[in-house]
Amino acid sequence: MEPSKIQLLGDELYEAMIARQAVSPLTARGEDISIDDAYHISLRMLERRQAAGARVIGKKIGVTSKAVQSMLNVHQPDFGYLTDDMVFNSGEVMPISERLIAPRAEGEIAFILKKDLMGPSVTNADVLAATECVMPCFEIVDSRIKDWNIAIQDTVADNASCGLFLLGEEAVSPRKVDLVTCGMVVEKNGAIISTGAGAAALGSPVNCVAWLANTLGEFGISLKAGEVILSGSLVPLEPVQAGDSLRVDIGGIGSASVRFV
C-alpha cells in the first residue's frame, strides 16, 4: 500500500477516536490491506497521538484466547501501544461515555518489566527473568470500526482495538504464582459473569509476552524496562456502559475494580 494511503487511513482512525465516531471497516473498501500495512497504519495513528502529547508506557497483546477469537472471528493474536492517557488505578471511576465508542471489558494479567526484551528468540525463561511483577488488570477495549465488524487487518490498524486499562493494587513476583493454572473470576454489578485461567491465553500469559517480544523484534522494536505489558484476556469480552461496575479476582495475584461513568 502506498505511504500516502497508509497516512490517510491512520489519520482517519485517529480522528474517529477523538470524535468517538466509528468508521466503516478498512477491509470492506476494496483495498488490498496486508497485516504489515495495518501495523503501519497503526503507527501513523500512534504518531498523531504522540503529537497531541501522549507518551508510550507499554504494549498490549490482543485476541489471545479462543473465547475472544470466536467472538470477534479473528483467529490470531495482535498487538497495540499503551499510552499514559489510557491508564487508571483500581477503584477509580473510568469515563467511558466520554472517551470510548463501543467499550468491552476483559480481565487480564499485566506484566511490569524490569529489563528490556528484544526478539527474536525470546523464551519464556527470558520473560520471567525480565519481569518485575504481575498485576491484575482490566483492559477496556474499543473499536473505531463500526459495529466491531473487524477482520484481523482492521483491528491491527486500529491499535489492536485499544481503549483504556486499569491496574490492580497488588503486585507479585511471576515466580510466586502458577501463571498457567491461576484462576480468574469476573463480577459485573455484583454477579459473577465469567471465569477463566491463565492457560486461556495461548496456553500461558508468559507465552503471550514471549510472542509479543519476538513479533516486535521483526520490526526492530523492543519491550522496554518499566513498560506495562497486557498479556491478553482470560475471559470473554463483556460489553459495559456508564453505571456498570466490574471486579476481577486472580488467584495468587489479587484483584482490581472499576466503576464506569
Side-chain angles (χ1 to χ4, degrees), residues 13 17 38-39 41-42 45 49 59-63 68 72-74 76-82 86 99-106 108 138-165 230 237:
L13 288 172
M17 180 189 71
Y39 278 121
I41 293 167
S42 174
M45 189 181 181
R49 297 186 67 182
K59 301 173 180 77
K60 66 151 284 187
I61 307 151
V63 205
V68 173
L72 299 180
N73 197 30
V74 171
Q76 66 186 84
D78 63 1
F79 67 85
Y81 293 88
L82 305 176
M86 291 181 174
R99 299 277 303 271
L100 306 181
I101 300 169
R104 299 178 177 186
E106 4 181 75
E108 302 192 19
F138 277 115
E139 183 185 0
I140 314 304
V141 294
D142 195 26
S143 183
R144 274 62 64 173
I145 305 298
K146 190 174 181 180
D147 299 325
W148 280 91
N149 183 19
I150 56 174
I152 183 65
Q153 295 95 327
D154 294 299
T155 185
V156 165
D158 190 26
N159 195 32
S161 303
C162 280
L164 306 171
F165 70 99
L230 303 189
L237 301 177

Side-chain angles (χ1 to χ4, degrees), residues 50-156:
Q50 291 175 308
R55 179 174 58 88
V56 173
I57 61 169
K59 301 173 180 77
K60 66 151 284 187
I61 307 151
V63 205
T64 54
S65 74
K66 293 297 183 184
V68 173
Q69 289 178 356
S70 297
M71 289 180 74
L72 299 180
N73 197 30
V74 171
H75 299 287
Q76 66 186 84
D78 63 1
F79 67 85
Y81 293 88
L82 305 176
T83 54
D84 58 346
D85 56 343
M86 291 181 174
V87 63
F88 290 78
N89 295 316
S90 184
E92 288 187 340
V93 173
M94 187 180 284
I96 57 174
S97 59
E98 298 175 3
R99 299 277 303 271
L100 306 181
I101 300 169
R104 299 178 177 186
E106 4 181 75
E108 302 192 19
I109 297 172
F111 288 63
I112 312 300
L113 299 184
K114 61 183 178 182
K115 298 178 182 177
D116 291 1
L117 280 172
M118 181 72 182
S121 303
V122 169
T123 66
N124 284 16
D126 295 330
V127 171
L128 292 174
T131 300
E132 176 72 30
C133 61
V134 292
M135 305 175 72
C137 76
F138 277 115
E139 183 185 0
I140 314 304
V141 294
D142 195 26
S143 183
R144 274 62 64 173
I145 305 298
K146 190 174 181 180
D147 299 325
W148 280 91
N149 183 19
I150 56 174
I152 183 65
Q153 295 95 327
D154 294 299
T155 185
V156 165

Side-chain angles (χ1 to χ4, degrees), residues 168-227:
E169 296 178 356
E170 297 95 345
V172 302
S173 166
R175 298 186 182 278
K176 292 184 177 180
V177 58
D178 187 332
L179 291 168
V180 174
T181 64
C182 63
M184 172 180 285
V185 178
V186 178
E187 298 179 16
K188 180 179 182 181
N189 302 328
I192 294 174
I193 58 167
S194 58
T195 60
L202 300 183
S204 167
V206 182
N207 292 338
C208 297
V209 179
W211 172 87
L212 179 62
N214 290 322
T215 300
L216 285 174
E218 296 175 9
F219 294 87
I221 300 168
S222 67
L223 306 184
K224 300 182 183 300
E227 285 193 331

Side-chain angles (χ1 to χ4, degrees), residues 1-12 31 37 40-41 44:
M1 179 174 282
E2 294 181 359
S4 60
K5 186 64 174 178
I6 285 172
Q7 179 172 322
L8 284 172
L9 292 174
D11 289 344
E12 181 181 359
E31 296 279 358
D37 290 333
H40 283 94
I41 293 167
R44 172 59 183 176

